[in-house]
Amino acid sequence: KELQKSIQTDILSLLGELCDREGIRKNQIESLVIAGNTTMCHLLLGYSCEGLGRAPFQPVAIALQEKSWEQVFGKGEYDAEITILPGISAFVGADIVAGIYSTDLGKPSGSFPTGVGFPAEECETAMLLDIGTNGEMALYANHRLFVTSTAAGPALEGGNISCGMPGVAGAISHAALFGKERMVVKTIGKKPPEGLCGTGVIDVVYELRRHRLIDENGTLQREYEKTGYPVVKDRLFFTQEDIRQVQMAKAAIRAGMELLFEYAGIAIGQVSRVWIAGGFGFALDTQKAIGIGLLPEGFRGKTAGAGNSALEGAKRYLTEPNAGEKMAELAGRAEEINLAMQKEFQERYVQYMQF
């Protein structure tokens, strides 16, 4: 209940800010649409999360749900109808469905046609990656939609990193190394560096490997073993444990990605487009992500930032006719690959721990 209240409080706070900024009365809001991962949607609606934490990982409800304001938030100043967008499974939620819809995955351009589904003549092989604590991915190939999720941990969001932080002002988003200890950094908002966000973490690891300050096993040179490598002299250090966290995250994502392509029966190099969600996708240096093995060589020149694809999908639900029907159809036709059931996953995971 504390988690449910926390989510409700944040949503109400954001709604209040929007109303104040746009000069709208709270009772003027007619519709609210929510796209979130399955756990967040369960918490918001007060459903038990017990089934999400143990096999066979059964959610209470993942279909498109329409609720009254009182059913979700109780009595208050608002009276909007609430729609919770559909999810696919316990680990592939409504945020991914909304992202698939918003990127028109499998179509070269334009919005969805009036009819449900993709017309065969417009199909292409495309992928959506949401790189976070759960590395969720969707692949459209051979007129089929495949999805999976891998437990990557928070390292690529700045979590579990000794000098890590979210992608906010003062976070190092890019870094380049000249010589042995001259690390030049770029921060969000051009503020003094306070820590590393996800893209900064990838840049630092790439530069350390490129200059052979870490070996193929991810081991730092002995002189930096105790203190870590000085990203910002005397202030921010990147430690051996930080490198291990990155190795585990990138190994999980890369192994999951390869098995998804194999399950779909296509080579990675056949993909036409790769959308990478969030601010991470816009800021990511693809060359460096490929250089550390997070992304495969076959993605070179094919990646693009998708922005906040879940939010864009929610917006399109509110503004496009039949969007809910189309999202439900997408969720229903998705084929989920359970990586825990794939014996090759652990082998690939160990393989991609290496640089």
Side-chain angles (χ1 to χ4, degrees):
K1 289 194 177 299
E2 287 184 33
L3 291 169
Q4 181 184 29
K5 185 177 179 181
S6 177
I7 298 170
Q8 291 172 335
T9 299
D10 277 358
I11 291 174
L12 291 172
S13 175
L14 289 167
L15 275 173
E17 288 179 26
L18 281 172
C19 288
D20 291 343
R21 191 180 75 191
E22 302 299 330
I24 295 170
R25 297 191 310 275
K26 293 178 179 179
N27 61 8
Q28 286 182 277
I29 296 178
E30 299 175 358
S31 300
L32 174 68
V33 59
I34 294 172
N37 67 46
T38 304
T39 301
M40 285 295 177
C41 290
H42 272 50
L43 290 171
L44 173 64
L45 295 172
Y47 295 159
S48 169
C49 292
E50 186 174 1
L52 306 180
R54 62 177 67 175
F57 306 107
Q58 291 292 333
V60 174
I62 52 173
L64 187 144
Q65 300 173 77
E66 294 180 341
K67 305 281 187 180
S68 69
W69 183 271
E70 191 169 343
Q71 285 177 304
V72 179
F73 291 94
K75 292 183 179 180
E77 300 174 86
Y78 299 92
D79 192 29
E81 293 297 316
I82 296 173
T83 301
I84 311 293
L85 295 182
I88 295 170
S89 70
F91 300 116
V92 184
D95 50 346
I96 301 304
V97 174
I100 293 169
Y101 185 80
S102 71
T103 54
D104 291 331
L105 199 68
K107 293 183 70 230
S109 62
S111 59
F112 271 65
T114 303
V116 174
F118 300 107
E121 68 274 15
E122 292 189 359
C123 287
E124 66 171 340
T125 302
M127 188 174 208
L128 172 66
L129 282 175
D130 189 346
I131 298 176
T133 302
N134 282 324
E136 295 140 324
M137 51 196 85
L139 174 64
Y140 191 81
N142 299 324
H143 315 307
R144 295 163 70 188
L145 179 63
F146 305 91
V147 298
T148 195
S149 175
T150 180
L156 300 182
E157 295 180 301
N160 283 359
I161 300 294
S162 60
C163 57
M165 63 182 291
V168 297
I172 296 171
S173 57
H174 293 291
L177 183 58
F178 300 91
K180 193 174 182 180
E181 287 196 0
R182 185 171 167 247
M183 186 76 80
V184 176
V185 302
K186 178 182 178 181
T187 65
I188 297 174
K190 298 181 179 179
K191 301 291 185 182
E194 296 180 16
L196 289 164
C197 66
T199 56
V201 166
I202 289 173
D203 279 17
V204 167
V205 172
Y206 172 83
E207 294 293 336
L208 293 179
R209 178 66 186 127
R210 184 169 73 93
H211 288 267
R212 300 187 179 183
L213 297 175
I214 58 175
D215 63 19
E216 66 275 8
N217 297 316
T219 304
L220 263 172
Q221 281 192 355
R222 185 165 295 180
E223 63 185 291
Y224 305 115
E225 193 174 13
K226 291 184 178 179
T227 61
Y229 180 84
V231 177
V232 177
K233 190 175 181 180
D234 300 328
R235 288 185 52 212
L236 300 176
F237 296 87
F238 202 74
T239 69
Q240 184 64 70
E241 178 56 28
D242 295 335
I243 295 168
R244 296 289 180 243
Q245 292 292 325
V246 175
Q247 286 178 280
M248 290 188 287
K250 69 109 172 173
I253 290 168
R254 181 68 183 274
M257 193 184 303
E258 292 213 347
L259 290 174
L260 187 66
F261 273 89
E262 287 183 14
Y263 189 92
I266 68 164
I268 283 177
Q270 290 179 266
V271 72
S272 303
R273 289 183 304 169
V274 180
W275 296 107
I276 303 178
F280 185 91
F282 281 124
L284 180 66
D285 187 320
T286 305
Q287 176 182 327
K288 294 182 178 181
I290 291 172
I292 69 168
L294 172 64
L295 301 180
E297 181 64 37
F299 283 7
R300 192 178 296 277
K302 300 175 181 178
T303 62
N308 192 332
S309 57
L311 186 63
E312 181 64 21
K315 185 180 79 174
R316 286 180 62 172
Y317 173 86
L318 286 171
T319 58
E320 295 180 7
N322 304 319
E325 178 189 358
K326 295 170 188 175
M327 289 190 196
E329 189 267 347
L330 280 172
R333 66 192 286 216
E335 302 174 49
E336 185 181 20
I337 291 86
N338 184 345
L339 295 176
M341 303 297 290
Q342 307 294 317
K343 62 181 181 180
E344 298 94 343
F345 178 77
Q346 195 63 35
E347 297 171 7
R348 301 289 177 87
Y349 179 89
V350 172
Q351 176 187 347
Y352 287 114
M353 283 285 288
Q354 303 290 103
F355 287 111

